[in-house]
């Protein structure tokens, strides 16, 4: 069978999510799956249920989904088995209280397929940390924030948000790239906002970056360590607040998806929806103006804990 034979279910899988975003019928998405009762299928189905609940809670009207994907690698393991890695760019348009908004994500997937009597079908689809590509910078929909959205202070929220908007879908070549890049990205954003590094000869002290070859503090690049540094304040002078409504542009949210006390992810606030709730940018699964609670994430569980940090001016 020609290559387009095994690419067909992959194309339908991702483009079907556009229709699912608007119409909300998850079962239609799984027509090209070999085992509808597989664990990963149930997890995907529940993720879309959570996303639909989130839409209702936000009083969100979905308008349109756009998906582009490119195959990064494909390997035919046997005559009837195929594995491929794909990079996916998804853009969702929606309306809240008459205001038009957009959300974007860049992600990578490892997909396994098998050929049966009815043709090729998906056996497994696993999200992976986004694999940066030079071409990804061309996917940006960058809109600089207005002057009125930022406070004039020693922490320049405008610059932090501009940095997050500029580099949400790419890697600044001045910094090392990490497989799990979320904290490295957030540290860059905070530093771009004018927060000075706190240098130390020890990697478990301060908050600093000196270059490649592991010449950075754990707090610069490890989610749990940055959360601990924000708790101490450090050069960020961050203060924990009790709710997302208290956050401002350029503030930070930390996530413990499993609720086990080990913090795994960080985001930066780059906008607010009409309900006053934060929208965030992030790396690893690269996101732009994603709703702050991450209930649509593969990593989210009902035990998820959040910490909200305001960086004062």
């Amino acid at each position: 069978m020609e290559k387009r034979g095994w690419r067909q279910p992959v194309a339908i899988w991702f483009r079907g999510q556009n229709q699912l975003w608007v119409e909300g019928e998850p079962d239609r998405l799984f027509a090209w799956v070999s085992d509808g009762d597989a664990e990963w299928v149930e997890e995907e189905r529940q993720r879309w249920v959570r996303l639909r609940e989130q839409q209702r809670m936000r009083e969100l009207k979905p308008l349109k989904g756009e998906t582009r994907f490119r195959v990064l690698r494909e390997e035919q393991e046997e005559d009837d088995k195929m594995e491929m890695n794909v990079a996916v760019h998804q853009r969702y348009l929606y309306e809240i209280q008459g205001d038009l908004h957009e959300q974007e994500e860049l992600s990578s997937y490892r997909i396994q397929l098998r050929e049966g009597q009815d043709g090729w079908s998906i056996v497994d689809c696993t999200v992976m940390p986004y694999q940066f590509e030079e071409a990804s910078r061309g996917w940006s929909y960058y809109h600089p924030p207005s002057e009125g959205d930022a406070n004039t202070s020693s922490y320049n929220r405008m610059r932090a948000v501009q940095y997050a908007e500029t580099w949400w879908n790419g890697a600044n070549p001045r910094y090392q790239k990490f497989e799990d890049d979320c904290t490295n990205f957030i540290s860059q954003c905070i530093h771009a906002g004018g927060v000075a590094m706190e240098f130390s000869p020890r990697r478990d002290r301060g908050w600093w970056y000196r270059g490649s070859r592991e010449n950075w503090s754990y707090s610069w690049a490890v989610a749990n360590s940055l959360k601990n540094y924000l708790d101490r304040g450090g050069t960020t002078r961050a203060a924990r607040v009790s709710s997302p409504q208290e956050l401002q542009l350029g503030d930070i949210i930390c996530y413990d998806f499993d609720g086990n006390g080990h913090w795994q992810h960080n985001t930066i606030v780059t906008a607010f929806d009409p309900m006053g709730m934060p929208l965030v940018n992030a790396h690893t699964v690269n996101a732009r103006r994603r709703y702050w609670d991450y209930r649509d994430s593969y990593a989210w569980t009902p035990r998820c804990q959040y910490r909200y940090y305001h960086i004062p001016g």
Side-chain angles (χ1 to χ4, degrees):
M1 183 175 290
E2 297 180 2
K3 286 187 177 181
R4 63 176 177 269
W6 58 65
R7 290 191 181 192
Q8 183 181 14
V10 176
I12 293 175
W13 171 261
F14 287 112
R15 289 168 184 161
Q17 295 185 21
N18 299 335
Q19 191 171 8
L20 179 55
W21 165 261
V22 177
E23 297 181 358
E25 297 181 13
D27 288 340
R28 181 180 300 180
L29 187 64
F30 302 107
W32 291 85
V33 170
S34 62
D35 181 3
D37 296 323
E39 182 178 352
W40 75 272
V41 174
E42 180 58 25
E43 290 176 355
E44 180 72 7
R45 185 178 284 110
Q46 290 303 314
R47 187 178 74 87
W48 279 98
V49 169
R50 295 197 306 270
L51 190 146
R52 186 60 63 191
E53 291 173 349
Q54 183 190 83
Q55 290 177 345
R56 287 195 292 267
M57 179 268 296
R58 298 180 65 194
E59 300 179 15
L60 178 154
K61 179 182 179 182
L63 300 177
K64 184 180 181 181
E66 298 176 357
T67 299
R68 286 185 285 172
F69 76 94
R70 59 167 62 97
V71 177
L72 305 177
R73 179 190 69 88
E74 55 186 13
E75 178 180 348
Q76 189 161 6
E77 300 172 334
E78 300 177 17
D79 289 344
D80 62 345
K81 293 182 180 179
M82 167 65 60
E83 180 174 292
M84 62 172 60
N85 288 10
V86 297
V88 180
H89 178 208
Q90 292 174 307
R91 183 183 183 216
Y92 297 121
L93 303 179
Y94 62 91
E95 181 182 296
I96 298 180
Q97 296 183 357
D99 290 343
L100 185 65
H101 295 266
E102 65 180 3
Q103 170 182 322
E104 296 181 82
E105 292 182 24
L106 287 174
S107 51
S108 297
Y109 292 85
R110 183 182 67 244
I111 301 174
Q112 296 175 326
L113 303 102
R114 179 178 298 142
E115 186 180 23
Q117 292 182 348
D118 298 328
W120 290 89
S121 59
I122 299 174
V123 176
D124 187 53
C125 182
T126 304
V127 67
M128 309 289 288
Y130 180 68
Q131 300 178 27
F132 288 106
E133 303 170 89
E134 190 66 28
S136 69
R137 291 303 310 281
W139 286 354
S140 178
Y141 295 88
Y142 174 44
H143 303 290
S146 65
E147 291 287 346
D149 288 337
N151 294 330
T152 302
S153 65
S154 57
Y155 178 52
N156 191 320
R157 302 179 185 281
M158 168 77 74
R159 290 184 180 178
V161 171
Q162 284 181 324
Y163 189 95
E165 288 281 84
T166 300
W167 292 104
W168 79 271
N169 65 341
N172 186 338
R174 295 180 60 185
Y175 294 95
Q176 175 79 18
K177 299 177 185 178
F178 294 81
E179 181 176 1
D180 294 321
D181 200 60
C182 66
T183 306
N184 177 43
F185 173 65
I186 296 305
S187 290
Q188 291 175 36
C189 294
I190 296 171
H191 185 54
V195 175
M197 297 183 191
E198 180 182 342
F199 290 100
S200 170
R202 294 177 50 170
R203 298 186 69 195
D204 61 350
R205 301 286 177 85
W207 175 72
W208 51 271
Y209 180 94
R210 290 194 178 99
S212 58
R213 298 182 181 178
E214 299 188 351
N215 201 4
W216 54 80
S217 67
Y218 297 129
S219 59
W220 183 274
V222 179
N224 195 69
S225 297
L226 177 60
K227 182 264 180 188
N228 291 337
Y229 185 76
L230 294 173
D231 279 334
R232 295 194 296 270
T235 54
T236 68
R237 297 183 295 132
R240 183 176 160 186
V241 296
S242 59
S243 70
Q245 293 93 327
E246 298 175 71
L247 297 173
Q248 299 179 28
L249 292 175
D251 286 342
I252 307 301
I253 303 177
C254 300
Y255 302 76
D256 173 7
F257 290 121
D258 300 317
N260 61 5
H262 185 79
W263 299 80
Q264 301 127 328
H265 190 53
N266 307 290
T267 65
I268 182 169
V269 177
T270 55
F272 293 90
D273 70 12
M275 313 291 281
M277 302 304 289
L279 307 176
V280 299
N281 287 24
H283 270 195
T284 303
V285 172
N286 294 24
R288 176 177 179 267
R289 301 198 175 185
R290 185 174 185 170
Y291 192 66
W292 71 271
D293 71 3
Y294 264 64
R295 286 178 60 88
D296 60 340
S297 169
Y298 292 94
W300 189 90
T301 74
R303 301 179 299 279
C304 183
Q305 299 292 316
Y306 306 93
R307 292 291 183 271
Y308 316 105
Y309 293 93
H310 171 64
I311 301 178

